[in-house]
Amino acid sequence: MIRTPLRPLARVISARENGENPDVIEAEERVKRNQVINQKIRKRAEHRLTMLGLAFFIGFGAIAGKMGMLAVSEPMEPRLAVANTGIHSQRADIVDRNGSVLATNLVTTSLYAQPHMMIEPVKAADKLAKIFPDINHDKLLKQFTGKRKFVWVRKKVSPEQKQLVHDIGEPGLLFGPREMRLYPNGKLAAHILGGAGFGKEDVRAAELIGVAGVEKFFDERMRDPAQVDTPLKLSIDLTAQATMRRVVEGGMKIMNAKGAAAVLMDVHTGEIVSMVSLPDFDPNDRPAPLLEGDPSDSPLFNRAAQGVYELGSTFKLFAAAVSLDNNLANEDTMINTKGPIRWGKFKIRDFHNYGNQLSVKDVIVKSSNIGTARMAQAAGTNAQKKILDDLGFFAPVPVEISEAKRTKPLLPAKWSDLSTMTISYGHGIAATPLHLATAYATLANGGYKVKPTLLKSDVSTLHGDQVLKKTTSDSLMRMLRAVVTEGTASFGEVDGYHVGGKTGSADKPKPNGGYYDDKVIATFASAFPTHDPKYVLVLTLDEPSIEAAGEERRTAGWTAVPVAAELITRVAPVLNMRPELAGSGQVEYTQAKHQ
């Protein structure tokens, strides 16, 4: 910057020549310089004030905008902050078909220790053992007094426990935020939900991952940040599920059964409205899996989707379906029931002597092994294989639980003519109750192939593949109804609901081969109402036994059937189903739209 001198030489010389005072020149120049400096200072101050005002305007504008957004946004529960952890701890809720919560997340606390920061590790271990009685005191004391710098004490701590730990006053005991999976209904729907556990974790967060059931099947969707606020809506009805579990548990105790399974399915959509397996567990405190022995002894075992059983005479309806659908017979066609049938060293007998012949309908009503075997012989092995394949018995059930994907029916290694006959009445083939429910749903809905689902769906199977004629389906439903009104399932009658079904009592196989003489798998596969089927219900009891009419009874007609009848009595009103109106002169059935 060039500055003008306060005493310019030219002006000073000129002033002296004219007799003027040079000091006046200096004063004038000083005034000019000060004016220039003041002007620059003023401009600088104005610029700073402008920038400051602009900054205040932007700041208060941002605050006002945020407040406006909060004012118009929907209220939401706070989520656990896990920034910079690399762990996504959020997980979508699971609800039933009506929106009732089945699984959700709960913000809780974890407890860990840093022994090198502890003042009194022995005292801390003693007090923690009192607060958490399941903790191994000796192991904890060894960890606190050893060389470790970090020890997990508890992954989940209740508010009451947290306060008790606070009262210990030990600086080496620390807490971290955490989300846990909460199942507010406890054991209800345990095998459907499966459960969740912790994956990657640190002291600030833990990853929630599905370990079984729909939690595992939909694990990726449940943890997707884009869908975490959208609940997964299942097909089950919570009230129906509670009703089913209560009745099945009571029936299992009355019938002295080792276990039980029940499946209730909509025949038109394939929706599983309820599925129960007993004994069960609480997914909030999921037990450890069995490492040896029979898997079915574990409460984690899903008898409905994993239990592969010979389902006995419930399969006889499939033999009738083949004969009717291929025009080999009708309901009144007479079948040779003279026996026994000899095949090499094997004999096929009936429980009672039914004479030399029965109609197709009576073969089903009276549950004749010989008559069913004759029908299967006449239809042939290929026809039998085709219908069983069409009904889903050659593959795992395509339902949204991880356990079902790994469970295939047991089929004969060599499908001989003898296999064709024994399979016709449910021996030599083993499948799950869920397989059976799916097959019966197809038979009941007019012959349209059913794809079972645990997701709420309004899509009817009536637009899918038809594997049986409508006339065949109608005939089969009339036969099932006759089994209840005239045959082996007389205890299955429920006033007003037109129940039809087929019993099945199969000897239970031994682990090392052969069959028990005094243990059976008792099954009742039913549909209601048979004149306009809406639901199928399959109930299976493992090793039932009851004293009735002066004898020990194990067959399904005495064990599974009365329990199933009680189930229908209780659950049908829950599904908004009204019984038929007595004395109307015609069959009447109404159902409110089931949401």
Side-chain angles (χ1 to χ4, degrees):
M1 182 180 66
I2 299 175
R3 298 183 64 180
T4 303
L6 295 179
R7 295 174 67 89
L9 183 59
R11 289 191 61 189
V12 170
I13 294 174
S14 176
R16 287 179 176 171
E17 289 177 351
N18 296 326
E20 297 175 358
N21 186 358
D23 293 337
V24 175
I25 296 173
E26 181 179 350
E28 290 175 355
E29 293 296 333
R30 190 180 298 278
V31 169
K32 291 179 181 180
R33 180 182 292 182
N34 289 339
Q35 287 176 344
V36 172
I37 293 173
N38 290 338
Q39 188 175 10
K40 289 181 179 179
I41 292 174
R42 180 182 180 86
K43 287 183 178 180
R44 189 183 299 119
E46 288 176 349
H47 179 71
R48 288 178 176 175
L49 287 172
T50 301
M51 295 301 295
L52 183 62
L54 183 61
F56 272 104
F57 178 79
I58 293 173
F60 281 107
I63 293 172
K66 183 65 173 178
M67 292 176 67
M69 290 176 62
L70 291 174
V72 300
S73 64
E74 292 290 333
M76 296 176 63
E77 291 291 333
R79 292 284 186 177
L80 182 65
V82 292
N84 301 322
T85 64
I87 297 175
H88 186 74
S89 67
Q90 299 179 11
R91 192 173 182 84
D93 290 349
I94 301 176
V95 299
D96 83 335
R97 64 186 304 114
N98 301 309
S100 299
V101 176
L102 300 173
T104 188
N105 284 6
L106 177 68
V107 177
T108 184
T109 304
S110 61
L111 172 62
Y112 62 97
Q114 294 183 337
H116 63 285
M117 295 176 59
M118 300 182 91
I119 298 174
E120 298 179 288
V122 176
K123 177 183 175 183
D126 293 342
K127 292 193 172 183
L128 287 174
K130 294 179 180 178
I131 297 172
F132 308 106
D134 57 328
I135 282 183
N136 186 322
H137 173 268
D138 294 337
K139 180 180 178 181
L140 193 65
L141 181 60
K142 183 178 180 180
Q143 291 173 333
F144 283 1
T145 56
K147 297 182 179 180
R148 298 185 61 174
K149 294 187 176 181
F150 179 90
V151 176
W152 275 117
V153 180
R154 297 281 287 197
K155 301 294 181 70
K156 295 179 289 187
V157 177
S158 70
E160 294 80 6
Q161 292 169 332
K162 181 178 180 180
Q163 184 58 51
L164 291 173
V165 175
H166 264 304
D167 294 341
I168 296 176
E170 175 58 65
L173 295 177
L174 304 170
F175 300 97
R178 173 155 306 204
E179 283 199 11
M180 63 174 283
R181 199 63 166 163
L182 177 67
Y183 302 91
N185 301 293
K187 293 183 176 181
L188 203 58
H191 289 97
I192 296 173
L193 297 170
F198 294 124
K200 294 188 298 184
E201 58 185 339
D202 63 19
V203 297
R204 292 165 292 176
E207 181 182 49
L208 286 170
I209 58 174
V211 296
V214 295
E215 289 275 29
K216 183 174 182 179
F217 190 92
F218 290 105
D219 187 58
E220 186 174 339
R221 180 256 189 250
M222 302 292 285
R223 293 193 287 139
D224 182 358
Q227 301 185 71
V228 75
D229 293 320
T230 303
L232 181 69
K233 181 169 283 192
L234 301 187
S235 60
I236 68 168
D237 183 297
L238 187 60
T239 306
Q241 181 74 12
T243 303
M244 289 264 288
R245 186 188 181 280
R246 187 181 304 114
V247 175
V248 173
E249 184 177 38
M252 188 177 80
K253 292 178 180 177
I254 292 172
M255 300 300 171
N256 302 298
K258 176 183 177 181
V263 179
L264 181 67
M265 184 183 295
D266 186 310
V267 302
H268 296 299
T269 64
E271 292 173 292
I272 297 172
V273 180
S274 175
M275 184 168 68
V276 175
S277 174
L278 295 175
D280 54 11
F281 61 97
D282 187 345
N284 292 300
D285 188 21
R286 186 178 166 88
L290 289 181
L291 300 179
E292 57 183 19
D294 187 349
S296 66
D297 290 337
S298 169
L300 297 175
F301 187 76
N302 186 345
R303 294 173 182 271
Q306 292 177 278
V308 179
Y309 310 110
E310 288 189 350
L311 297 168
S313 296
T314 59
F315 268 60
K316 289 176 179 174
L317 202 64
F318 307 141
V322 174
S323 294
L324 269 60
D325 210 56
N326 289 285
N327 299 318
L328 300 174
N330 57 43
E331 296 176 58
D332 299 320
T333 300
M334 302 308 293
I335 304 297
N336 178 9
T337 54
K338 185 178 180 180
I341 298 176
R342 290 182 171 84
W343 195 272
K345 64 179 180 179
F346 298 98
K347 293 181 181 180
I348 297 176
R349 304 175 182 272
D350 277 335
F351 192 71
H352 297 290
N353 182 6
Y354 298 120
N356 292 336
Q357 59 181 5
L358 290 172
S359 67
V360 170
K361 172 186 172 183
D362 285 337
V363 166
I364 299 301
V365 170
K366 298 182 182 298
S367 201
S368 168
N369 292 341
I370 295 174
T372 309
R374 299 278 192 210
M375 286 194 291
Q377 269 186 315
T381 299
N382 290 335
Q384 183 185 61
K385 284 184 174 181
K386 182 180 184 305
I387 191 170
L388 292 179
D389 188 14
D390 288 341
L391 295 176
F393 286 105
F394 284 10
V397 179
V399 72
E400 301 90 350
I401 48 176
S402 55
E403 297 82 355
K405 294 193 303 181
R406 303 190 298 267
T407 306
K408 292 185 65 176
L410 299 180
L411 306 173
K414 182 182 179 182
W415 204 297
S416 65
D417 290 339
L418 179 62
S419 298
T420 298
M421 288 190 286
T422 60
I423 286 172
S424 72
Y425 53 85
H427 290 266
I429 184 172
T432 68
L434 195 52
H435 278 95
L436 190 63
T438 303
Y440 266 61
T442 296
L443 300 184
N445 70 10
Y448 291 91
K449 190 169 184 178
V450 167
K451 182 179 179 182
T453 180
L454 277 164
L455 297 181
K456 188 176 185 302
S457 172
D458 297 319
V459 179
S460 173
T461 57
L462 298 183
H463 301 292
D465 297 332
Q466 189 169 16
V467 297
L468 290 174
K469 300 172 186 174
K470 177 68 164 59
T471 53
T472 301
S473 174
D474 293 341
S475 295
L476 295 175
M477 291 302 103
R478 287 192 291 269
M479 293 182 195
L480 288 185
R481 178 61 181 156
V483 174
V484 173
T485 58
E486 307 169 25
T488 58
S490 58
F491 291 143
E493 180 71 335
V494 179
D495 290 341
Y497 288 105
H498 212 70
V499 178
K502 187 71 190 77
T503 55
S505 305
D507 292 333
K508 189 173 181 179
K510 296 178 180 179
N512 299 321
Y515 291 86
Y516 291 105
D517 294 329
D518 57 351
K519 296 180 181 180
V520 302
I521 300 294
T523 302
F524 184 53
S526 60
F528 61 97
T530 49
H531 58 275
D532 183 18
K534 296 295 186 294
Y535 297 98
V536 294
L537 171 67
V538 171
L539 173 72
T540 298
L541 297 177
D542 187 356
E543 300 182 19
S545 176
I546 187 173
E547 289 288 335
E551 295 182 31
E552 185 178 13
R553 310 283 185 172
R554 298 188 183 89
T555 59
W558 288 92
T559 57
V561 172
V563 177
E566 183 65 17
L567 273 174
I568 295 171
T569 302
R570 299 282 191 91
V571 82
V574 170
L575 301 176
N576 297 323
M577 295 179 68
R578 297 179 183 178
E580 299 167 6
L581 303 178
S584 64
Q586 61 180 350
V587 173
E588 292 186 19
Y589 171 80
T590 57
Q591 180 187 31
K593 181 172 177 60
H594 185 47
Q595 299 298 324

